[in-house]
Structures are given as structure tokens and as C-alpha cells.
């Protein structure tokens, strides 16, 4: 899907390309790929880098073209991984500025709507990059709130019953937080590299730079806090499971010892030696009664020592 936006006291969508407009391409098909590579002549290496889902945030310059890759959060259709991050590439040279992503995202749609609604002016390509970084940090925080709700839900389920499903849910959330931490760290490094570009230092809006840095730091700290909470929760429930297992094993050991008493008596009575009960019509009942009483006595001793 391809869209053109003109910067006119906010963003206005237009039907065709004009100089200095912003071209946003999401999930490009073969026709749009051909347009990017042949008509706009974007370096194919840049296109392939953006297509790589594991590409790290970075800035690169080649033949006058500038490539900036940042990672943004997205909701995933994979039940085992509810949130993940994807690369978004901003490629520009002269009058051409293109953003490319290989997955539709809520962030970019919301970004366009927000710029339109607030009538925010985008000064240049680097200003667009900084505003996208700011928007991505805000969306990290939005998704982190949803992650926190999933953590609370998993904790509530674990309090009712400790099953593999609940523990697996926590592991899935932990994976999401690892992706978030890695991507936010990469975006933070990218921000510092952009700030250190000598030719652009005077053009940067200091307030915008400060906002981006604050939101990035907040998203990183929030992710670290949730990760620490999740690690502590999983360690706590691992201890609970271990204690429950120890209690069950103690109970099973106690039961096996108690059941051993009637077996021992029956074994002794069944030996082929005189015991004065072989001719007694009540012999079997006497043996059963003795076994029962000794078993009760064993249970009483175990309870007195609080072995259960």
C-alpha cells in the first residue's frame, strides 16, 4: 500500500508524487517494489535491509542516499508472541523521502492522523525521523500497559491453579519484553548518532530532541521494571511449585511407611513357623486388628511430629 503526503501545516494526502512530499509504503508488492527501485532508484541493498525482520536500528549513507532504520512495536497475530518489533526504514535523498515497512502497523496510521489533527509542521527529513522516534516510544509505552495487564491476568490464574499454561503465558510475555528492551536500546543508540551529525546539529529542534530522549528513557525504564517484576514472579512461583512437590513427596513417604506396617505383619504371620494362631478360628481377624491399631498409632505419631 502506497500513500503520498504533502507537508502543508500538517499532512495532506495527495494522489501523486511531488517534490519534497513524503511517500509511505506499507507491505510493498511487486509493483511497488519496482516503483521504489526503478523509478525512485532507491538502492536495492537498502530495500533488502528494511525487509530483514531482524535488522537493527542504524543510519547509513550510500551514493547520496541516507537510510535510517528504527524499530517500532506491533501487535502480533501469533498467540505465543502477542507483541513484537519490526524495522521501519526511512530513505531520503534530495526531494525524495520514503518510509518503508513490511507490515501494517497501528503506529504509522496513528502518526499520520495525529500530525493532521494537530497541524504539526515537518521541517525536513530528519525532523520526520525524530517525530517517528517519538511516536514509536509512545507506542512502546501503550503496549507496555497491555503487557502489564497480561502479567496481572497470568498472576491471577496462577494463584488459582499452577498449571503449565499459566507459566507458558508468563514466558511468552517475557519474550515480548526482551524484544522491547533490545529494540529500545537500538533506537536510543540511533538517536545519539543522529544528534551527533555535525551538518544537522543546528537544524534540530532542541525541545523535540529532549522529548524523544525522555520518552525513550521512560519506555526503557518501564520495560526493565516489568521485566524485573516478571522475573521475580516466575522465581516465586517456581519456589511455590518446589515446596508443593516437597510436601507431596513427604506425604507419599509417610503413607508408604504406614502401609508397610500391615504388610510386615501379614508377612510374619504368613511364614511357615508356629505362632499359636494357626489353629485359632479368629486368627485372621486378630492379625487384621493388630495391623489396624498399629497403623493408627503410626498415623498418630506422624501427626504429632507434624510430618504431614
Amino acid at each position: 500500500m502506497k500513500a503520498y503526503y504533502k507537508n502543508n501545516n500538517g499532512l495532506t494526502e495527495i494522489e501523486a508524487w511531488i517534490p519534497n512530499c513524503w511517500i509511505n509504503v506499507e507491505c510493498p508488492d511487486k509493483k511497488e517494489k519496482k516503483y521504489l527501485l526503478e523509478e525512485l532508484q532507491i538502492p536495492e541493498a537498502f530495500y533488502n535491509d528494511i525487509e530483514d525482520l531482524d535488522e537493527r536500528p542504524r543510519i547509513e549513507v550510500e551514493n547520496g542516499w541516507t537510510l535510517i532504520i528504527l524499530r517500532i512495536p506491533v501487535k502480533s497475530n501469533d498467540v505465543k508472541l502477542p507483541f513484537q518489533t519490526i524495522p521501519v526504514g526511512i530513505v531520503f535523498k534530495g526531494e525524495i523521502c520514503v518510509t518503508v515497512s513490511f507490515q501494517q502497523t497501528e503506529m504509522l496510521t496513528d502518526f499520520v492522523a495525529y500530525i493532521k489533527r494537530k497541524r504539526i509542521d515537518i521541517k525536513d527529513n530528519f525532523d520526520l525521523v525524530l517525530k517517528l522516534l517519538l511516536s514509536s516510544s509512545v507506542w512502546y509505552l501503550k503496549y507496555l500497559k497491555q503487557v502489564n495487564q497480561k502479567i496481572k491476568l497470568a498472576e491471577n490464574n496462577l494463584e488459582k491453579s499452577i498449571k503449565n499454561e499459566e507459566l507458558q503465558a508468563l514466558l511468552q510475555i517475557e519474550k515480548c519484553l526482551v524484544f522491547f528492551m533490545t529494540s529500545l536500546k537500538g533506537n536510543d543508540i540511533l538517536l545519539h548518532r543522529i544528534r551527533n551529525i555535525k551538518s544537522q546539529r543546528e537544524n534540530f529542534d532542541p525541545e523535540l530532541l529532549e522529548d524523544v530522549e525522555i520518552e525513550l528513557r521512560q519506555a526503557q525504564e518501564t520495560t526493565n521494571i516489568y521485566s524485573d517484576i516478571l522475573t521475580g514472579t516466575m522465581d516465586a512461583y517456581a519456589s511455590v511449585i518446589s515446596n508443593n512437590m516437597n510436601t507431596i513427596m513427604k506425604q507419599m513417604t509417610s503413607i508408604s511407611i504406614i502401609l508397610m506396617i500391615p504388610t510386615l505383619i501379614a508377612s510374619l504371620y504368613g511364614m511357615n513357623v508356629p505362632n499359636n494362631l494357626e489353629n485359632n478360628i479368629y486368627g485372621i481377624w486378630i492379625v487384621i486388628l493388630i495391623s489396624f491399631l498399629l497403623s493408627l498409632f503410626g498415623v498418630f505419631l506422624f501427626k504429632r511430629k507434624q510430618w504431614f
Side-chain angles (χ1 to χ4, degrees), residues 29-56:
D29 54 21
K30 292 182 179 180
K31 183 178 179 181
E32 290 166 343
K33 179 181 179 180
K34 184 178 180 181
Y35 170 78
L36 293 173
L37 299 181
E38 296 183 8
E39 293 190 34
L40 299 182
Q41 296 184 346
I42 291 175
E44 188 173 0
F46 285 1
Y47 183 89
N48 294 333
D49 288 344
I50 301 170
E51 191 175 11
D52 183 6
L53 291 176
D54 297 322
E55 192 68 32
R56 309 313 310 155

PDB file of all heavy atoms in Angstrom, residues 29-56:
ATOM      1  N   ASP A  29       4.104  -4.588  -2.648  1.00  0.00           N
ATOM      2  CA  ASP A  29       4.004  -5.723  -3.568  1.00  0.00           C
ATOM      3  C   ASP A  29       5.054  -5.554  -4.673  1.00  0.00           C
ATOM      4  O   ASP A  29       5.906  -4.654  -4.620  1.00  0.00           O
ATOM      5  CB  ASP A  29       2.589  -5.819  -4.145  1.00  0.00           C
ATOM      6  CG  ASP A  29       2.134  -4.515  -4.796  1.00  0.00           C
ATOM      7  OD1 ASP A  29       3.008  -3.691  -5.164  1.00  0.00           O
ATOM      8  OD2 ASP A  29       0.919  -4.313  -4.931  1.00  0.00           O
ATOM      9  N   LYS A  30       4.989  -6.408  -5.701  1.00  0.00           N
ATOM     10  CA  LYS A  30       5.994  -6.370  -6.771  1.00  0.00           C
ATOM     11  C   LYS A  30       5.957  -5.041  -7.530  1.00  0.00           C
ATOM     12  O   LYS A  30       7.001  -4.504  -7.899  1.00  0.00           O
ATOM     13  CB  LYS A  30       5.753  -7.532  -7.734  1.00  0.00           C
ATOM     14  CG  LYS A  30       6.034  -8.901  -7.120  1.00  0.00           C
ATOM     15  CD  LYS A  30       5.825 -10.003  -8.148  1.00  0.00           C
ATOM     16  CE  LYS A  30       6.130 -11.373  -7.538  1.00  0.00           C
ATOM     17  NZ  LYS A  30       5.933 -12.477  -8.516  1.00  0.00           N
ATOM     18  N   LYS A  31       4.742  -4.531  -7.754  1.00  0.00           N
ATOM     19  CA  LYS A  31       4.610  -3.271  -8.488  1.00  0.00           C
ATOM     20  C   LYS A  31       5.223  -2.121  -7.700  1.00  0.00           C
ATOM     21  O   LYS A  31       5.938  -1.272  -8.255  1.00  0.00           O
ATOM     22  CB  LYS A  31       3.132  -3.002  -8.772  1.00  0.00           C
ATOM     23  CG  LYS A  31       2.871  -1.753  -9.588  1.00  0.00           C
ATOM     24  CD  LYS A  31       1.383  -1.586  -9.857  1.00  0.00           C
ATOM     25  CE  LYS A  31       1.122  -0.314 -10.661  1.00  0.00           C
ATOM     26  NZ  LYS A  31      -0.334  -0.125 -10.913  1.00  0.00           N
ATOM     27  N   GLU A  32       4.970  -2.089  -6.399  1.00  0.00           N
ATOM     28  CA  GLU A  32       5.507  -1.018  -5.561  1.00  0.00           C
ATOM     29  C   GLU A  32       7.016  -1.171  -5.376  1.00  0.00           C
ATOM     30  O   GLU A  32       7.748  -0.170  -5.299  1.00  0.00           O
ATOM     31  CB  GLU A  32       4.789  -1.011  -4.216  1.00  0.00           C
ATOM     32  CG  GLU A  32       3.344  -0.538  -4.333  1.00  0.00           C
ATOM     33  CD  GLU A  32       2.516  -0.836  -3.096  1.00  0.00           C
ATOM     34  OE1 GLU A  32       2.946  -1.687  -2.282  1.00  0.00           O
ATOM     35  OE2 GLU A  32       1.434  -0.251  -2.963  1.00  0.00           O
ATOM     36  N   LYS A  33       7.488  -2.404  -5.328  1.00  0.00           N
ATOM     37  CA  LYS A  33       8.936  -2.626  -5.258  1.00  0.00           C
ATOM     38  C   LYS A  33       9.612  -2.098  -6.517  1.00  0.00           C
ATOM     39  O   LYS A  33      10.682  -1.451  -6.447  1.00  0.00           O
ATOM     40  CB  LYS A  33       9.225  -4.124  -5.078  1.00  0.00           C
ATOM     41  CG  LYS A  33      10.700  -4.450  -5.024  1.00  0.00           C
ATOM     42  CD  LYS A  33      10.940  -5.952  -4.858  1.00  0.00           C
ATOM     43  CE  LYS A  33      12.428  -6.275  -4.829  1.00  0.00           C
ATOM     44  NZ  LYS A  33      12.675  -7.741  -4.664  1.00  0.00           N
ATOM     45  N   LYS A  34       9.012  -2.369  -7.649  1.00  0.00           N
ATOM     46  CA  LYS A  34       9.564  -1.871  -8.909  1.00  0.00           C
ATOM     47  C   LYS A  34       9.571  -0.342  -8.934  1.00  0.00           C
ATOM     48  O   LYS A  34      10.530   0.284  -9.409  1.00  0.00           O
ATOM     49  CB  LYS A  34       8.728  -2.417 -10.072  1.00  0.00           C
ATOM     50  CG  LYS A  34       9.260  -2.031 -11.446  1.00  0.00           C
ATOM     51  CD  LYS A  34       8.414  -2.646 -12.546  1.00  0.00           C
ATOM     52  CE  LYS A  34       8.940  -2.256 -13.923  1.00  0.00           C
ATOM     53  NZ  LYS A  34       8.109  -2.836 -15.011  1.00  0.00           N
ATOM     54  N   TYR A  35       8.525   0.252  -8.392  1.00  0.00           N
ATOM     55  CA  TYR A  35       8.443   1.725  -8.332  1.00  0.00           C
ATOM     56  C   TYR A  35       9.573   2.281  -7.471  1.00  0.00           C
ATOM     57  O   TYR A  35      10.233   3.270  -7.853  1.00  0.00           O
ATOM     58  CB  TYR A  35       7.086   2.139  -7.765  1.00  0.00           C
ATOM     59  CG  TYR A  35       6.976   3.607  -7.445  1.00  0.00           C
ATOM     60  CD1 TYR A  35       6.779   4.553  -8.433  1.00  0.00           C
ATOM     61  CD2 TYR A  35       7.078   4.055  -6.123  1.00  0.00           C
ATOM     62  CE1 TYR A  35       6.686   5.902  -8.132  1.00  0.00           C
ATOM     63  CE2 TYR A  35       6.972   5.398  -5.810  1.00  0.00           C
ATOM     64  CZ  TYR A  35       6.783   6.320  -6.821  1.00  0.00           C
ATOM     65  OH  TYR A  35       6.697   7.662  -6.523  1.00  0.00           O
ATOM     66  N   LEU A  36       9.824   1.657  -6.335  1.00  0.00           N
ATOM     67  CA  LEU A  36      10.857   2.148  -5.425  1.00  0.00           C
ATOM     68  C   LEU A  36      12.256   1.984  -6.022  1.00  0.00           C
ATOM     69  O   LEU A  36      13.088   2.897  -5.933  1.00  0.00           O
ATOM     70  CB  LEU A  36      10.776   1.411  -4.080  1.00  0.00           C
ATOM     71  CG  LEU A  36       9.525   1.669  -3.232  1.00  0.00           C
ATOM     72  CD1 LEU A  36       9.502   0.740  -2.029  1.00  0.00           C
ATOM     73  CD2 LEU A  36       9.478   3.127  -2.777  1.00  0.00           C
ATOM     74  N   LEU A  37      12.505   0.833  -6.626  1.00  0.00           N
ATOM     75  CA  LEU A  37      13.855   0.535  -7.092  1.00  0.00           C
ATOM     76  C   LEU A  37      14.171   1.142  -8.452  1.00  0.00           C
ATOM     77  O   LEU A  37      15.306   1.568  -8.694  1.00  0.00           O
ATOM     78  CB  LEU A  37      14.070  -0.983  -7.143  1.00  0.00           C
ATOM     79  CG  LEU A  37      13.948  -1.732  -5.812  1.00  0.00           C
ATOM     80  CD1 LEU A  37      14.198  -3.222  -6.014  1.00  0.00           C
ATOM     81  CD2 LEU A  37      14.916  -1.171  -4.783  1.00  0.00           C
ATOM     82  N   GLU A  38      13.168   1.185  -9.350  1.00  0.00           N
ATOM     83  CA  GLU A  38      13.435   1.629 -10.718  1.00  0.00           C
ATOM     84  C   GLU A  38      13.083   3.096 -10.937  1.00  0.00           C
ATOM     85  O   GLU A  38      13.850   3.835 -11.547  1.00  0.00           O
ATOM     86  CB  GLU A  38      12.679   0.739 -11.707  1.00  0.00           C
ATOM     87  CG  GLU A  38      13.153  -0.720 -11.680  1.00  0.00           C
ATOM     88  CD  GLU A  38      12.451  -1.583 -12.714  1.00  0.00           C
ATOM     89  OE1 GLU A  38      11.701  -1.010 -13.547  1.00  0.00           O
ATOM     90  OE2 GLU A  38      12.653  -2.805 -12.717  1.00  0.00           O
ATOM     91  N   GLU A  39      11.920   3.526 -10.437  1.00  0.00           N
ATOM     92  CA  GLU A  39      11.525   4.918 -10.672  1.00  0.00           C
ATOM     93  C   GLU A  39      12.214   5.871  -9.693  1.00  0.00           C
ATOM     94  O   GLU A  39      12.767   6.893 -10.092  1.00  0.00           O
ATOM     95  CB  GLU A  39      10.001   5.055 -10.572  1.00  0.00           C
ATOM     96  CG  GLU A  39       9.254   4.333 -11.685  1.00  0.00           C
ATOM     97  CD  GLU A  39       7.778   4.679 -11.697  1.00  0.00           C
ATOM     98  OE1 GLU A  39       7.447   5.833 -11.366  1.00  0.00           O
ATOM     99  OE2 GLU A  39       6.966   3.794 -12.022  1.00  0.00           O
ATOM    100  N   LEU A  40      12.168   5.520  -8.406  1.00  0.00           N
ATOM    101  CA  LEU A  40      12.832   6.379  -7.425  1.00  0.00           C
ATOM    102  C   LEU A  40      14.320   6.072  -7.313  1.00  0.00           C
ATOM    103  O   LEU A  40      15.075   6.880  -6.776  1.00  0.00           O
ATOM    104  CB  LEU A  40      12.163   6.230  -6.059  1.00  0.00           C
ATOM    105  CG  LEU A  40      10.690   6.623  -5.962  1.00  0.00           C
ATOM    106  CD1 LEU A  40      10.184   6.464  -4.534  1.00  0.00           C
ATOM    107  CD2 LEU A  40      10.476   8.065  -6.435  1.00  0.00           C
ATOM    108  N   GLN A  41      14.719   4.891  -7.802  1.00  0.00           N
ATOM    109  CA  GLN A  41      16.130   4.462  -7.816  1.00  0.00           C
ATOM    110  C   GLN A  41      16.728   4.366  -6.407  1.00  0.00           C
ATOM    111  O   GLN A  41      17.887   4.734  -6.168  1.00  0.00           O
ATOM    112  CB  GLN A  41      16.972   5.389  -8.697  1.00  0.00           C
ATOM    113  CG  GLN A  41      16.561   5.343 -10.159  1.00  0.00           C
ATOM    114  CD  GLN A  41      17.458   6.186 -11.055  1.00  0.00           C
ATOM    115  OE1 GLN A  41      18.233   7.002 -10.577  1.00  0.00           O
ATOM    116  NE2 GLN A  41      17.347   5.982 -12.359  1.00  0.00           N
ATOM    117  N   ILE A  42      15.920   3.885  -5.491  1.00  0.00           N
ATOM    118  CA  ILE A  42      16.434   3.608  -4.150  1.00  0.00           C
ATOM    119  C   ILE A  42      17.398   2.435  -4.229  1.00  0.00           C
ATOM    120  O   ILE A  42      17.124   1.452  -4.941  1.00  0.00           O
ATOM    121  CB  ILE A  42      15.260   3.285  -3.195  1.00  0.00           C
ATOM    122  CG1 ILE A  42      14.435   4.552  -2.954  1.00  0.00           C
ATOM    123  CG2 ILE A  42      15.745   2.703  -1.875  1.00  0.00           C
ATOM    124  CD1 ILE A  42      13.190   4.303  -2.137  1.00  0.00           C
ATOM    125  N   PRO A  43      18.530   2.477  -3.557  1.00  0.00           N
ATOM    126  CA  PRO A  43      19.475   1.346  -3.596  1.00  0.00           C
ATOM    127  C   PRO A  43      18.799   0.051  -3.145  1.00  0.00           C
ATOM    128  O   PRO A  43      18.110   0.011  -2.132  1.00  0.00           O
ATOM    129  CB  PRO A  43      20.571   1.768  -2.615  1.00  0.00           C
ATOM    130  CG  PRO A  43      20.512   3.265  -2.601  1.00  0.00           C
ATOM    131  CD  PRO A  43      19.071   3.616  -2.783  1.00  0.00           C
ATOM    132  N   GLU A  44      18.997  -0.999  -3.924  1.00  0.00           N
ATOM    133  CA  GLU A  44      18.368  -2.282  -3.614  1.00  0.00           C
ATOM    134  C   GLU A  44      18.861  -2.840  -2.270  1.00  0.00           C
ATOM    135  O   GLU A  44      18.117  -3.510  -1.558  1.00  0.00           O
ATOM    136  CB  GLU A  44      18.642  -3.283  -4.731  1.00  0.00           C
ATOM    137  CG  GLU A  44      17.871  -4.594  -4.582  1.00  0.00           C
ATOM    138  CD  GLU A  44      18.028  -5.504  -5.785  1.00  0.00           C
ATOM    139  OE1 GLU A  44      18.737  -5.104  -6.733  1.00  0.00           O
ATOM    140  OE2 GLU A  44      17.430  -6.604  -5.776  1.00  0.00           O
ATOM    141  N   ALA A  45      20.101  -2.544  -1.934  1.00  0.00           N
ATOM    142  CA  ALA A  45      20.640  -3.014  -0.651  1.00  0.00           C
ATOM    143  C   ALA A  45      19.848  -2.417   0.513  1.00  0.00           C
ATOM    144  O   ALA A  45      19.599  -3.090   1.517  1.00  0.00           O
ATOM    145  CB  ALA A  45      22.115  -2.641  -0.530  1.00  0.00           C
ATOM    146  N   PHE A  46      19.432  -1.155   0.378  1.00  0.00           N
ATOM    147  CA  PHE A  46      18.621  -0.518   1.425  1.00  0.00           C
ATOM    148  C   PHE A  46      17.273  -1.226   1.543  1.00  0.00           C
ATOM    149  O   PHE A  46      16.796  -1.495   2.656  1.00  0.00           O
ATOM    150  CB  PHE A  46      18.397   0.962   1.101  1.00  0.00           C
ATOM    151  CG  PHE A  46      19.603   1.835   1.335  1.00  0.00           C
ATOM    152  CD1 PHE A  46      20.797   1.285   1.784  1.00  0.00           C
ATOM    153  CD2 PHE A  46      19.544   3.203   1.119  1.00  0.00           C
ATOM    154  CE1 PHE A  46      21.915   2.083   2.012  1.00  0.00           C
ATOM    155  CE2 PHE A  46      20.642   4.013   1.350  1.00  0.00           C
ATOM    156  CZ  PHE A  46      21.830   3.446   1.783  1.00  0.00           C
ATOM    157  N   TYR A  47      16.674  -1.509   0.396  1.00  0.00           N
ATOM    158  CA  TYR A  47      15.369  -2.191   0.391  1.00  0.00           C
ATOM    159  C   TYR A  47      15.473  -3.559   1.069  1.00  0.00           C
ATOM    160  O   TYR A  47      14.627  -3.931   1.882  1.00  0.00           O
ATOM    161  CB  TYR A  47      14.878  -2.328  -1.046  1.00  0.00           C
ATOM    162  CG  TYR A  47      13.506  -2.950  -1.196  1.00  0.00           C
ATOM    163  CD1 TYR A  47      12.361  -2.168  -1.186  1.00  0.00           C
ATOM    164  CD2 TYR A  47      13.356  -4.326  -1.350  1.00  0.00           C
ATOM    165  CE1 TYR A  47      11.099  -2.729  -1.336  1.00  0.00           C
ATOM    166  CE2 TYR A  47      12.109  -4.901  -1.491  1.00  0.00           C
ATOM    167  CZ  TYR A  47      10.987  -4.096  -1.489  1.00  0.00           C
ATOM    168  OH  TYR A  47       9.733  -4.671  -1.620  1.00  0.00           O
ATOM    169  N   ASN A  48      16.530  -4.298   0.752  1.00  0.00           N
ATOM    170  CA  ASN A  48      16.708  -5.635   1.336  1.00  0.00           C
ATOM    171  C   ASN A  48      16.973  -5.554   2.841  1.00  0.00           C
ATOM    172  O   ASN A  48      16.527  -6.428   3.600  1.00  0.00           O
ATOM    173  CB  ASN A  48      17.862  -6.356   0.640  1.00  0.00           C
ATOM    174  CG  ASN A  48      17.556  -6.665  -0.821  1.00  0.00           C
ATOM    175  OD1 ASN A  48      16.395  -6.809  -1.203  1.00  0.00           O
ATOM    176  ND2 ASN A  48      18.591  -6.765  -1.638  1.00  0.00           N
ATOM    177  N   ASP A  49      17.685  -4.519   3.276  1.00  0.00           N
ATOM    178  CA  ASP A  49      17.939  -4.357   4.704  1.00  0.00           C
ATOM    179  C   ASP A  49      16.645  -4.116   5.473  1.00  0.00           C
ATOM    180  O   ASP A  49      16.446  -4.661   6.561  1.00  0.00           O
ATOM    181  CB  ASP A  49      18.906  -3.187   4.943  1.00  0.00           C
ATOM    182  CG  ASP A  49      20.329  -3.522   4.500  1.00  0.00           C
ATOM    183  OD1 ASP A  49      20.623  -4.723   4.299  1.00  0.00           O
ATOM    184  OD2 ASP A  49      21.130  -2.586   4.331  1.00  0.00           O
ATOM    185  N   ILE A  50      15.772  -3.281   4.914  1.00  0.00           N
ATOM    186  CA  ILE A  50      14.491  -2.998   5.586  1.00  0.00           C
ATOM    187  C   ILE A  50      13.627  -4.255   5.628  1.00  0.00           C
ATOM    188  O   ILE A  50      12.882  -4.482   6.595  1.00  0.00           O
ATOM    189  CB  ILE A  50      13.747  -1.857   4.861  1.00  0.00           C
ATOM    190  CG1 ILE A  50      14.599  -0.585   4.847  1.00  0.00           C
ATOM    191  CG2 ILE A  50      12.403  -1.576   5.525  1.00  0.00           C
ATOM    192  CD1 ILE A  50      14.063   0.514   3.945  1.00  0.00           C
ATOM    193  N   GLU A  51      13.725  -5.082   4.595  1.00  0.00           N
ATOM    194  CA  GLU A  51      12.913  -6.301   4.528  1.00  0.00           C
ATOM    195  C   GLU A  51      13.329  -7.323   5.585  1.00  0.00           C
ATOM    196  O   GLU A  51      12.522  -8.167   5.993  1.00  0.00           O
ATOM    197  CB  GLU A  51      13.033  -6.911   3.134  1.00  0.00           C
ATOM    198  CG  GLU A  51      12.045  -8.026   2.851  1.00  0.00           C
ATOM    199  CD  GLU A  51      12.123  -8.518   1.425  1.00  0.00           C
ATOM    200  OE1 GLU A  51      13.085  -8.141   0.714  1.00  0.00           O
ATOM    201  OE2 GLU A  51      11.222  -9.275   1.005  1.00  0.00           O
ATOM    202  N   ASP A  52      14.565  -7.242   6.046  1.00  0.00           N
ATOM    203  CA  ASP A  52      15.063  -8.172   7.060  1.00  0.00           C
ATOM    204  C   ASP A  52      14.418  -7.851   8.407  1.00  0.00           C
ATOM    205  O   ASP A  52      14.635  -6.773   8.975  1.00  0.00           O
ATOM    206  CB  ASP A  52      16.586  -8.062   7.155  1.00  0.00           C
ATOM    207  CG  ASP A  52      17.177  -9.064   8.147  1.00  0.00           C
ATOM    208  OD1 ASP A  52      16.416  -9.909   8.668  1.00  0.00           O
ATOM    209  OD2 ASP A  52      18.402  -8.994   8.389  1.00  0.00           O
ATOM    210  N   LEU A  53      13.622  -8.782   8.944  1.00  0.00           N
ATOM    211  CA  LEU A  53      12.894  -8.543  10.189  1.00  0.00           C
ATOM    212  C   LEU A  53      13.815  -8.399  11.397  1.00  0.00           C
ATOM    213  O   LEU A  53      13.404  -7.866  12.427  1.00  0.00           O
ATOM    214  CB  LEU A  53      11.890  -9.676  10.447  1.00  0.00           C
ATOM    215  CG  LEU A  53      10.693  -9.741   9.498  1.00  0.00           C
ATOM    216  CD1 LEU A  53       9.832 -10.952   9.810  1.00  0.00           C
ATOM    217  CD2 LEU A  53       9.857  -8.463   9.590  1.00  0.00           C
ATOM    218  N   ASP A  54      15.048  -8.878  11.284  1.00  0.00           N
ATOM    219  CA  ASP A  54      15.993  -8.807  12.398  1.00  0.00           C
ATOM    220  C   ASP A  54      16.959  -7.631  12.278  1.00  0.00           C
ATOM    221  O   ASP A  54      17.916  -7.549  13.058  1.00  0.00           O
ATOM    222  CB  ASP A  54      16.789 -10.112  12.500  1.00  0.00           C
ATOM    223  CG  ASP A  54      15.901 -11.314  12.796  1.00  0.00           C
ATOM    224  OD1 ASP A  54      14.946 -11.151  13.574  1.00  0.00           O
ATOM    225  OD2 ASP A  54      16.162 -12.404  12.256  1.00  0.00           O
ATOM    226  N   GLU A  55      16.724  -6.748  11.321  1.00  0.00           N
ATOM    227  CA  GLU A  55      17.646  -5.625  11.114  1.00  0.00           C
ATOM    228  C   GLU A  55      17.634  -4.689  12.319  1.00  0.00           C
ATOM    229  O   GLU A  55      16.587  -4.351  12.856  1.00  0.00           O
ATOM    230  CB  GLU A  55      17.247  -4.850   9.854  1.00  0.00           C
ATOM    231  CG  GLU A  55      18.285  -3.859   9.396  1.00  0.00           C
ATOM    232  CD  GLU A  55      19.550  -4.537   8.889  1.00  0.00           C
ATOM    233  OE1 GLU A  55      19.458  -5.646   8.333  1.00  0.00           O
ATOM    234  OE2 GLU A  55      20.632  -3.942   9.050  1.00  0.00           O
ATOM    235  N   ARG A  56      18.825  -4.272  12.755  1.00  0.00           N
ATOM    236  CA  ARG A  56      18.969  -3.415  13.915  1.00  0.00           C
ATOM    237  C   ARG A  56      18.859  -1.943  13.524  1.00  0.00           C
ATOM    238  O   ARG A  56      19.154  -1.565  12.379  1.00  0.00           O
ATOM    239  CB  ARG A  56      20.317  -3.642  14.608  1.00  0.00           C
ATOM    240  CG  ARG A  56      20.665  -5.090  14.937  1.00  0.00           C
ATOM    241  CD  ARG A  56      19.550  -5.862  15.585  1.00  0.00           C
ATOM    242  NE  ARG A  56      18.965  -5.183  16.717  1.00  0.00           N
ATOM    243  CZ  ARG A  56      17.730  -5.383  17.142  1.00  0.00           C
ATOM    244  NH1 ARG A  56      16.937  -6.229  16.516  1.00  0.00           N
ATOM    245  NH2 ARG A  56      17.275  -4.726  18.177  1.00  0.00           N
TER     246      ARG A  56
END
